[in-house]
Amino acid sequence: MSSPVSLNLNYVALFVADHEWEQLHPAVSHAHHLLHAGTGKGAGLLGWMDLPDKEEISRIEKSAARIRKDADVFIVIGIGGSSLGAKAVISGLCHAFHSSLHPQKKNGPDVFFLGEHFGSDYTNELLEALEGKSVYVNVISKSGTTTEPAIAFRIVKTWMEHTYGEEEAKKRIIATTDREKGALKTMANAEGYETFVVPDDVGGRYSVLTPVGLFPIAAAGISIRDLIAGAEEARRDYTDERLSHNQAYQYAAFRNLMYQKGKQIELLSTYEPKLTDFSEWWKQLYGESEGKDGKGLFPASAVFTTDLHSMGQYIQDGRRHLFETVLFVRKSRNEIQIPQSASDEDGLDFLAGERLDAINQKAFQATMLAHTDGAVPNVFLEMNELNVFSLGALIYFFEKACALSGYLLGVNPFDQPGVESYKQNMYALLGKSGHEQRRTELEERLNEWQ
């Protein structure tokens, strides 16, 4: 069976010499052993390398089937790693206009996300959209005290209890949280919510193939068994420590070489708009894993050909501080042909009968040639088709490559100490108990700037 994800390095010879690859072999081998022996930094957070057991999958599927049967709307409340993975898979595989489909064409509820920001208008408009609908909620938080999702859950919980009554609301709320402790776990026990566990040995950005991501994905009507099967295929593909035999490690090594050559930005570009949210998941995975100790590539993303009409000029002729990783899907699930025109006003009749996929392929090739001519290194990740199996493989590919890449960079790829800085400042400015001195200091600084 051929791999569902293929790395293409055919166009990097202009930018990386053979001896540069060779010099990385020992470092890659060392990083591989740190990872697989569990002796590197953050070794307590390697649970993502072992996928969920069948009993856990069956329980997720059973609960998700109930939601698909009874719910018109399923709200996922979380932020960062608690929501980005599920959103990436759902938007990548479900109908782009699911909420506008006739009910008979839907295979699951409309899935909406909340708890990712403090947007008043968005929150209010979502609540308005729930009127008259059967609503279920999955609140995802290991601690239950992260401000954005905690506030969102307060608001939605109040709406649920007002709409359905307290007892019925309890049956419609599912919590994914810590196994034993934390504010959300305490509340779930007191209220009798159904619960799933956030594994102790998996960080949020690596958690999409745990109940954190699998439950919302299953509730949306996507086969999590196929998703995991794709990830398992990738795990088998990417176990070899030899750089020449492991494409996930080749991608990590290429990123490292670009970093050594002074590149500062990695642009993940895709020609498939349904992968837009996947790019957001990827940005957190790499930005939070590598952006520390004054190191790391800045992860950015673009959707082509759309962004070629806004950012294309900069990519082509701007500062040479970036390289591209291109996600390309060769065949869409649906085939559309260009129709014949009566009078050919736009001059495009020469494309009549051509598939839209084929035009997208030529746009990809044309852009690659232009960008490499403009001294922008390009590496490609190609999938024959965007389906649940290939997306599972792609997720595992990036997770494995990210872990190795972090070790090559010399950082802990599994912690995120810098994330706490804004949280502590926000708690102080909001007047949380215990932060009084910090609040005074911050307010003095703000007054100086105003």
Side-chain angles (χ1 to χ4, degrees):
M1 180 177 183
S2 62
S3 176
V5 178
S6 177
L7 180 71
N8 186 331
L9 294 167
N10 292 344
Y11 299 91
V12 304
L14 293 171
F15 307 98
V16 180
D18 289 344
H19 69 87
E20 292 178 299
W21 288 105
E22 292 168 5
Q23 73 173 359
L24 275 179
H25 282 244
V28 168
S29 180
H30 177 67
H32 168 89
H33 285 285
L34 290 177
L35 188 59
H36 282 264
T39 55
K41 294 179 180 178
L45 292 170
L46 296 177
W48 55 272
M49 296 177 69
D50 299 313
L51 302 171
D53 60 35
K54 292 182 180 179
E55 183 178 340
E56 181 83 339
I57 295 170
S58 296
R59 194 165 77 87
I60 290 171
E61 289 176 326
K62 182 178 179 180
S63 183
R66 174 173 67 96
I67 289 171
R68 289 200 305 277
K69 178 176 179 291
D70 297 339
D72 299 317
V73 172
F74 183 56
I75 300 176
V76 180
I77 299 177
I79 193 169
S82 295
S83 62
L84 286 173
K87 183 185 285 189
V89 175
I90 291 168
S91 64
L93 298 175
C94 290
H95 197 290
F97 303 97
H98 188 272
S99 62
S100 298
L101 289 175
H102 189 281
Q104 292 181 350
K105 290 189 175 184
K106 296 182 178 183
N107 67 340
D110 296 329
V111 182
F112 300 128
F113 290 83
L114 194 62
E116 302 172 310
H117 48 67
F118 298 118
S120 296
D121 291 342
Y122 179 96
T123 303
N124 187 69
E125 289 164 12
L126 175 57
L127 294 177
E128 287 181 347
L130 302 182
E131 295 297 334
K133 305 288 181 65
S134 175
V135 180
Y136 282 71
V137 177
N138 179 207
V139 54
I140 307 169
S141 176
K142 190 166 180 61
S143 66
T145 59
T146 302
T147 311
E148 293 91 339
I151 288 175
F153 182 53
R154 275 198 180 206
I155 294 168
V156 171
K157 181 174 180 286
T158 300
W159 184 93
M160 296 284 285
E161 291 173 347
H162 175 78
T163 302
Y164 300 111
E166 291 187 7
E167 291 307 310
E168 178 63 19
K170 292 175 183 178
K171 300 174 184 177
R172 292 170 173 263
I173 296 172
I174 301 95
T176 305
T177 187
D178 191 87
R179 187 183 302 276
E180 297 178 348
K181 62 184 184 299
L184 182 55
K185 176 61 176 175
T186 300
M187 182 189 300
N189 288 343
E191 300 284 352
Y193 299 154
E194 181 180 7
T195 60
F196 292 99
V197 173
V198 178
D200 290 331
D201 58 353
V202 180
R205 58 189 177 274
Y206 289 85
S207 67
V208 60
L209 297 176
T210 75
V212 171
L214 293 176
F215 180 55
I217 290 166
I222 296 167
S223 170
I224 57 174
R225 289 181 186 267
D226 289 345
L227 189 74
I228 292 168
E232 287 177 335
E233 178 77 12
R235 179 169 61 177
R236 290 190 290 270
D237 286 344
Y238 309 131
T239 56
D240 198 315
E241 72 176 87
R242 292 172 296 175
L243 182 57
S244 58
H245 287 65
N246 191 321
Q247 290 195 334
Y249 290 1
Q250 290 167 16
Y251 169 62
F254 176 73
R255 299 178 75 253
N256 187 267
L257 288 169
M258 291 295 99
Y259 185 72
Q260 290 181 30
K261 289 174 178 287
K263 300 300 183 186
Q264 299 172 326
I265 298 169
E266 179 178 12
L267 181 68
L268 185 74
S269 55
T270 178
Y271 291 75
E272 174 50 72
K274 290 177 71 66
L275 288 173
T276 300
D277 285 326
F278 186 90
S279 298
E280 297 301 311
W281 170 81
W282 173 87
K283 284 194 286 191
Q284 186 201 9
L285 178 66
Y286 280 84
E288 204 167 76
S289 295
E290 294 191 329
K292 57 199 69 167
D293 301 338
K295 301 177 181 178
L297 291 159
F298 182 81
S301 63
V303 179
F304 294 158
T305 60
T306 304
D307 289 332
L308 291 175
H309 295 261
S310 56
M311 295 299 294
Q313 173 61 42
Y314 185 93
I315 297 167
Q316 184 71 40
D317 289 334
R319 189 176 178 187
R320 303 296 78 187
H321 59 169
L322 61 83
F323 68 95
E324 284 182 75
T325 296
V326 183
L327 292 181
F328 190 75
V329 181
R330 292 192 174 278
K331 182 181 178 183
S332 298
R333 294 192 290 271
N334 301 286
E335 185 175 294
I336 295 181
Q337 290 186 333
I338 310 302
Q340 187 82 31
S341 168
S343 54
D344 194 25
E345 295 96 336
D346 54 16
L348 293 176
D349 260 5
F350 72 98
L351 295 175
E354 189 67 83
R355 292 180 299 106
L356 207 54
D357 274 348
I359 295 173
N360 205 30
Q361 171 91 13
K362 296 304 181 185
F364 159 59
Q365 293 170 345
T367 304
M368 176 273 297
L369 291 170
H371 287 182
T372 52
D373 286 346
V376 179
N378 270 237
V379 62
F380 312 121
L381 278 167
E382 299 172 308
M383 293 179 286
N384 283 331
E385 203 173 342
L386 179 58
N387 55 37
V388 64
F389 186 84
S390 65
L391 201 55
L394 187 64
I395 287 167
Y396 196 86
F397 173 94
F398 276 127
E399 288 181 342
K400 187 69 180 292
C402 185
L404 189 100
S405 185
Y407 283 150
L408 288 177
L409 190 62
V411 301
N412 181 348
F414 306 113
D415 68 353
Q416 56 280 340
V419 174
E420 292 302 313
S421 297
Y422 99 88
K423 291 182 182 180
Q424 296 305 316
N425 285 351
M426 184 171 64
Y427 291 151
L429 292 171
L430 289 171
K432 186 175 182 178
S433 177
H435 292 71
E436 290 81 7
Q437 182 176 349
R438 189 180 184 91
R439 179 181 182 179
T440 300
E441 294 171 354
L442 293 174
E443 287 181 341
E444 288 176 353
R445 288 173 61 190
L446 290 172
N447 287 334
E448 290 175 2
W449 293 344
Q450 290 176 353

